[in-house]
Amino acid sequence: MSAKSFSHSELLEMLQTGNIPQKQLAALRLKEVNNQTEADILVSNLTGCDGKIREAVSLKINSLLREKPECVKFFNQAEVFADATIDINANICRLIVESVEILKKDKEFTKVYLEKVFGFIENAFDELDKIAFRDKKYVINKQLFKLYWCLETLKNFVDDIESAKLLDILERSSKEKEYTIREKVAQIAVLTSFEELKQQLQKDENYYVRAVFES
C-alpha cells in the first residue's frame, strides 16, 4: 500500500470503509480537506477506533490546521475534540491540545469544548474523592491523566473562563499529591491575577512547581 498512489477520493473512501492499516495510511497521505463533509470523515476517525488510526488522524488534523488555514472552519466538531483531549495516548492529547489552540478562535467551538472539558474535570474530581487507599494505582492514574490534559488545554482558555470558576478548578487541583498536576496549576496561575494561589504554589515542596515562577 505504501508504494501505491491513491487519489484524494480513494483516500477518503479508505477513511470511511478501510481496515486499520488502510485508514492509518489514508490519514497520513491526505493532503487537504475541501469541505465540511471531508473534514467530518477525517474527524470521525479521531475517537472510537484503533490507536494507530487515532494518532495518524490527530497528526494530520494538526498539520492541516497549521498549513491550510482555509480549512480551519471545517473542523468545528468541538465535542469530538474534547473527547480526544483525554485520549489514553499522550501523543494524541498533545496534538489535539495544539490543534484546539487554533480552533478556539471560533467562539461557539470554545463554548461547547469548554463545557465538555469542565465535565471531565468534575468527573475526575469526583472519582479522585471516592478513591480509597486500597484502590489500585492505575485507577488513580487514569483520573490524574484526565485531569492533567484538561489542565493543559485550559492554559489556552484563561481569558475565556469566568475567574471564579477557573480559580475553583485551580484551587481544587492544587491539593493533589501528584506534583505534575500542581505544576500544571502553576503554569495556569502565572497567567492570572490569583495572587494568593501563586504565593502558595511558590512555596510548594516540589522544585518543578516552584520553578514555574522562576522562569
Side-chain angles (χ1 to χ4, degrees):
M1 278 198 306
S2 296
K4 184 179 178 182
S5 295
F6 295 95
S7 67
H8 182 72
S9 59
E10 286 175 325
L11 293 174
L12 290 169
E13 178 64 24
M14 287 166 61
L15 278 169
Q16 290 179 286
T17 63
N19 56 29
I20 292 173
Q22 289 172 330
K23 287 190 173 186
Q24 184 183 20
L25 179 69
L28 294 173
R29 287 276 191 88
L30 197 68
K31 294 182 178 179
E32 59 188 358
V33 291
N34 298 308
N35 52 53
Q36 188 66 58
T37 299
E38 293 182 359
D40 288 343
I41 290 171
L42 182 61
V43 174
S44 70
N45 289 284
L46 189 54
T47 59
C49 56
D50 185 85
K52 297 184 186 68
I53 301 171
R54 301 198 313 275
E55 187 161 4
V57 169
S58 63
L59 180 63
K60 178 54 59 175
I61 290 173
N62 186 275
S63 65
L64 286 174
L65 291 173
R66 294 180 182 282
E67 298 167 11
K68 304 279 187 179
E70 66 275 12
C71 76
V72 170
K73 61 182 178 290
F74 300 133
F75 291 100
N76 50 22
Q77 308 84 349
E79 292 195 2
V80 181
F81 277 91
D83 287 336
T85 300
I86 56 169
D87 194 281
I88 60 173
N89 182 329
N91 289 331
I92 296 173
C93 299
R94 187 173 296 104
L95 287 163
I96 293 303
V97 168
E98 290 177 1
S99 297
V100 168
E101 188 175 3
I102 298 172
L103 296 171
K104 63 167 286 194
K105 295 173 185 176
D106 182 329
K107 296 305 178 184
E108 182 60 28
F109 178 96
T110 292
K111 178 184 176 182
V112 176
Y113 178 82
L114 284 178
E115 284 179 359
K116 192 150 192 180
V117 169
F118 290 150
F120 293 149
I121 292 172
E122 288 302 316
N123 176 257
F125 287 158
D126 289 343
E127 293 300 317
L128 287 167
D129 288 341
K130 290 189 294 186
I131 288 172
F133 178 75
R134 65 180 179 276
D135 286 325
K136 293 181 179 179
K137 192 168 180 61
Y138 79 84
V139 177
I140 300 172
N141 286 344
K142 179 180 178 181
Q143 298 306 324
L144 290 175
F145 185 87
K146 181 195 302 182
L147 181 58
Y148 177 96
W149 285 106
C150 285
L151 291 172
E152 177 67 17
T153 198
L154 288 191
K155 286 195 298 185
N156 296 323
F157 293 95
V158 170
D159 296 331
D160 302 285
I161 304 172
E162 182 185 351
S163 292
K165 186 175 188 65
L166 180 60
L167 180 58
D168 182 61
I169 291 171
L170 296 182
E171 287 182 333
R172 171 61 182 81
S173 300
S174 70
K175 295 178 173 62
E176 288 301 324
K177 294 181 180 179
E178 173 57 49
Y179 85 87
T180 58
I181 298 298
R182 302 199 306 280
E183 184 181 12
K184 287 299 162 196
V185 172
Q187 290 171 357
I188 299 173
V190 296
L191 304 174
T192 73
S193 58
F194 304 148
E195 297 304 325
E196 187 174 336
L197 178 61
K198 286 191 277 189
Q199 290 174 15
Q200 170 194 324
L201 293 165
Q202 286 171 345
K203 300 174 184 176
D204 195 273
E205 63 183 23
N206 185 273
Y207 167 78
Y208 293 103
V209 178
R210 299 194 306 271
V212 171
F213 300 92
E214 299 169 3
S215 58

